[in-house]
Amino acid sequence: MPSRSLSITILGAGPAGLRIASRLLRRRDLELDLTIVEKHHSPGGIAASFQEEGIWLDYGSHRLHPATPRDILDDIEELIAPSLLKRKRNGRIRLQGRYLKFPLQPLDCLLRLPPSFIAGILQDILKKPFRPAKTAESFADLLLQGLGPTICRNFYFPYARKLWGCPPDEIDMEQARKRVSGSSISKIIHKMSAFLPGFRKPNTGIFYYPEQGIGQISAALAEEVIAQGGKILYNTELTAIQTNKAAVSSISMKTENGTTRELESSFIFSTIPISRTVSLLSLAETDPATVAAKTLHSRSMIFFYLLMNCDQWQPVDAHYFPEKEYLFSRISEGKNYNGTTSPAGKTIICCEIPCMENDALWRADDEQLKTRVLEDLQKAGIPAGNLLRVFSRRKTNVYPVYRIGYPKQLKIIEERLSRTEGLVSLGRQGLFTHDNIHHSMMMADRAARCLTEKGEWDRKLWEQYCEEFAGYVVED
Ligand SMILES: Cc1cc2nc3c(=O)[nH]c(=O)nc-3n(C[C@H](O)[C@H](O)[C@H](O)COP(=O)(O)OP(=O)(O)OC[C@H]3O[C@@H](n4cnc5c(N)ncnc54)[C@H](O)[C@@H]3O)c2cc1C
């Protein structure tokens, strides 16, 4: 029997916020008054989709990785049945003027990498035992130790500068641990061996993808939340979190029509950027958490779309560009993700351009970006023929930037938030972490388990889960 009605507010309608809402609403032992507050006009967060010219588009390349736990995959399958497709990956990466299959495959690397590059890697392997041992502090230290200079200088270091906007020796080594699954030669060989006959695992080289873009998952979750009695307030911006005796009591928000509203809350699950959550608490400017929050930075991204007058631009789904001579870090072609051939005679590609909010790139207009992008496509040997028009979308907080020393600042914030009873920060933004969709959903599932049937928060269990989250590594 439900013990008492709990007023729960969830901040953010991305995969984490929607999933925790659906998990909590499915529980029969809790009576809930649950509201999601989302500043955007639709669900999905960074993993949302939209339609243009009859083509489903994502904010950059998004796919459901086969590492997604079975229970989450089953739920998604059931939620959007029969739309979840199992697709074969067909990506490539541009290195030293050549294209290699991505994920990397052994024979392809041997045949296509310049011999000087292979010789460099072999030399690095032979020299490894003689390199002076140094305690790794930075992204650069850790990867140089594990991979040697050839792969670092030609691939990871320029890629790190492009994605995170700072030199690799100023990036904390945690970034390498979370973002680089092939952080040593042996790990790379292990990953590549999965493509060799005899070593092939059942799901190697595949991904899952909904027919209507990755955002179909969140759209279906949002429908489920409403059907179960939850509310979602779109176009609504949080302005404050109020507390009473160190426990959350209510939130203030600015609604779509500009009015301010208060909502009583005994629990807040926040999936919005953790530094924003700190500022919503209206702490003193000198409070250590306020000071620490100002040191956390995230990258933004321009998603630059090109509509072309052809059925298909390239047969490849994602093209990766780690080298600095290209403005974009990755290009994806929407129709190649769900494999559709319609609409005929039209395709749209998305170029991901990492930047900082309000820097020169962010402020560049579509005509300026078009000139740069078209030049770079030409340089890469894949010109955009039959171009009909371009358009762009911009998102902030796409990648957390782990500058050396950030873990200390993050700890100060987490410690301060944990002293506010009823406030839990989770998800990609809420934990300032790099993650996959399935990681954000796993965090949500675990958070839902930590709310006891008495409506109390099991802090000990949550701390155990947080240790598990720290071990998540992004799957590319
Ligand atoms: C370019 C790119 C490619 C990616 N590709 C993949 C992939 O292929 N596979 C994969 O598994 N993962 C991928 N990811 C990661 C994936 O996007 C995230 O794991 C997922 O979106 C995280 O979900 P979330 O709910 O934790 O956060 P988010 O998706 O960031 O959702 C947070 C929500 O909070 C809302 N919000 C923020 N501030 C406020 C506020 N003040 N008030 C109200 N609402 C607010 C936002 O609008 C958003 O809806 C990719 C990420 C990026 C950036």
Side-chain angles (χ1 to χ4, degrees):
M1 273 292 285
S3 45
R4 66 183 165 109
S5 178
L6 273 180
S7 49
I8 292 193
T9 306
I10 293 170
L11 310 184
L18 290 163
R19 175 89 181 176
I20 189 169
S22 97
R23 292 301 95 172
L24 289 171
L25 288 164
R26 279 186 192 188
R27 280 180 57 173
R28 293 286 151 250
D29 57 342
L30 291 172
E31 192 187 304
L32 304 176
D33 180 5
L34 184 148
T35 306
I36 302 182
V37 178
E38 165 60 52
K39 71 171 181 182
H40 200 60
H41 59 73
S42 55
I46 311 172
S49 303
F50 58 98
Q51 230 183 357
E52 193 82 24
E53 304 276 342
I55 300 171
W56 282 105
L57 299 171
D58 300 339
Y59 294 96
S61 168
H62 266 89
R63 38 179 133 227
L64 211 53
H65 199 274
T68 304
R70 194 65 247 174
D71 60 324
I72 292 184
L73 209 51
D74 286 346
D75 275 346
I76 294 174
E77 220 151 28
E78 197 179 316
L79 206 60
I80 63 170
S83 294
L84 193 66
L85 311 167
K86 190 172 179 177
R87 306 268 303 145
K88 205 165 167 247
R89 283 187 77 152
N90 185 16
R92 62 184 192 175
I93 185 164
R94 180 123 176 126
L95 266 188
Q96 307 222 314
R98 302 171 188 214
Y99 283 105
L100 306 177
K101 285 191 177 153
F102 192 82
L104 299 175
Q105 301 187 17
L107 193 62
D108 184 68
C109 283
L110 284 174
L111 292 176
R112 286 181 210 245
L113 271 175
S116 58
F117 194 91
I118 296 177
I121 296 174
L122 290 175
Q123 247 183 33
D124 293 345
I125 294 172
L126 293 173
K127 283 188 191 160
K128 189 173 176 185
F130 306 104
R131 273 201 289 273
K134 182 185 166 202
T135 315
E137 209 187 36
S138 69
F139 180 89
D141 293 340
L142 197 82
L143 290 191
L144 269 174
Q145 279 173 17
L147 297 168
T150 307
I151 299 181
C152 286
R153 298 210 174 112
N154 291 292
F155 173 53
Y156 277 117
F157 289 180
Y159 208 23
R161 272 180 195 271
K162 190 185 280 192
L163 291 186
W164 305 311
C166 51
D169 54 356
E170 290 178 18
I171 302 173
D172 200 280
M173 65 172 187
E174 184 65 9
Q175 190 113 342
R177 217 188 48 72
K178 281 219 163 271
R179 272 308 269 114
V180 183
S181 51
S183 57
S184 67
I185 301 275
S186 55
K187 283 184 187 164
I188 292 184
I189 292 173
H190 178 75
K191 277 178 84 105
M192 289 205 292
S193 67
F195 288 90
L196 288 172
F199 292 91
R200 221 181 165 89
K201 295 192 189 119
N203 278 337
T204 303
I206 69 109
F207 66 101
Y208 295 96
Y209 194 78
E211 271 174 1
Q212 295 170 18
I214 200 73
Q216 190 178 354
I217 300 169
S218 291
L221 269 173
E223 272 176 30
E224 190 202 314
V225 166
I226 307 277
Q228 287 177 329
K231 294 180 266 303
I232 307 182
L233 306 176
Y234 292 111
N235 293 315
T236 304
E237 184 89 45
L238 266 302
T239 51
I241 295 174
Q242 284 88 19
T243 56
N244 183 7
K245 295 188 188 136
V248 296
S249 54
S250 61
I251 60 154
S252 300
M253 55 198 170
K254 210 159 142 200
T255 62
E256 203 169 352
N257 53 23
T259 55
T260 301
R261 223 186 107 186
E262 273 205 15
L263 184 68
E264 190 197 307
S265 292
S266 38
F267 262 99
I268 296 177
F269 292 97
S270 175
T271 71
I272 71 173
I274 192 166
S275 42
R276 180 73 186 124
T277 308
V278 170
S279 69
L280 288 168
L281 284 170
S282 311
L283 304 173
E285 276 296 303
T286 50
D287 189 289
T290 310
V291 177
K294 289 189 178 142
T295 69
L296 298 187
H297 300 286
S298 291
R299 288 286 268 176
S300 297
M301 189 169 270
I302 303 168
F303 301 94
F304 192 71
Y305 299 90
L306 291 88
L307 168 68
M308 285 178 261
N309 184 12
C310 56
D311 291 337
Q312 185 184 49
W313 174 60
Q314 299 280 329
V316 172
D317 48 40
H319 314 242
Y320 293 78
F321 294 89
E323 292 162 330
K324 74 167 190 287
E325 57 187 302
Y326 304 101
L327 186 64
F328 31 74
S329 51
R330 182 164 51 186
I331 302 179
S332 47
E333 185 165 355
K335 281 168 84 178
N336 293 347
Y337 280 65
N338 57 8
T340 182
T341 50
S342 69
K346 277 182 204 163
T347 192
I348 298 179
I349 62 168
C350 173
C351 304
E352 295 170 36
I353 307 176
C355 59
M356 294 304 286
E357 187 181 5
N358 284 326
D359 71 4
L361 265 178
W362 179 267
R363 285 182 277 110
D365 63 27
D366 284 354
E367 273 310 303
Q368 291 166 320
L369 292 171
K370 181 174 134 188
T371 308
R372 291 278 312 267
V373 166
L374 290 183
E375 267 172 30
D376 287 359
L377 288 174
Q378 191 76 35
K379 213 171 4 178
I382 41 175
N386 307 314
L387 186 63
L388 294 175
R389 68 179 170 90
V390 299
F391 58 97
S392 58
R393 302 276 164 107
R394 284 162 174 74
K395 289 245 177 219
T396 54
N397 298 302
V398 290
Y399 297 134
V401 179
Y402 288 177
R403 288 226 175 230
I404 288 180
Y406 89 96
K408 204 171 143 199
Q409 306 304 324
L410 189 57
K411 243 200 156 47
I412 293 172
I413 298 172
E414 286 171 347
E415 198 274 325
R416 179 64 188 80
L417 294 188
S418 73
R419 279 192 276 132
T420 308
E421 213 180 296
L423 176 60
V424 178
S425 195
L426 74 152
R428 182 179 176 94
Q429 319 279 359
L431 294 181
F432 194 67
T433 189
H434 294 273
D435 76 348
N436 291 105
I437 296 166
H438 62 272
H439 293 135
S440 270
M441 290 190 162
M442 286 158 78
M443 291 174 201
D445 289 2
R446 280 142 183 76
R449 278 184 221 149
C450 289
L451 198 59
T452 69
E453 58 184 32
K454 288 186 184 148
E456 288 161 0
W457 185 245
D458 188 336
R459 185 181 292 267
K460 240 195 164 88
L461 186 58
W462 180 243
E463 281 168 2
Q464 281 171 24
Y465 286 141
C466 286
E467 280 171 30
E468 177 195 316
F469 307 156
Y472 291 167
V473 176
V474 173
E475 306 277 358
D476 273 317

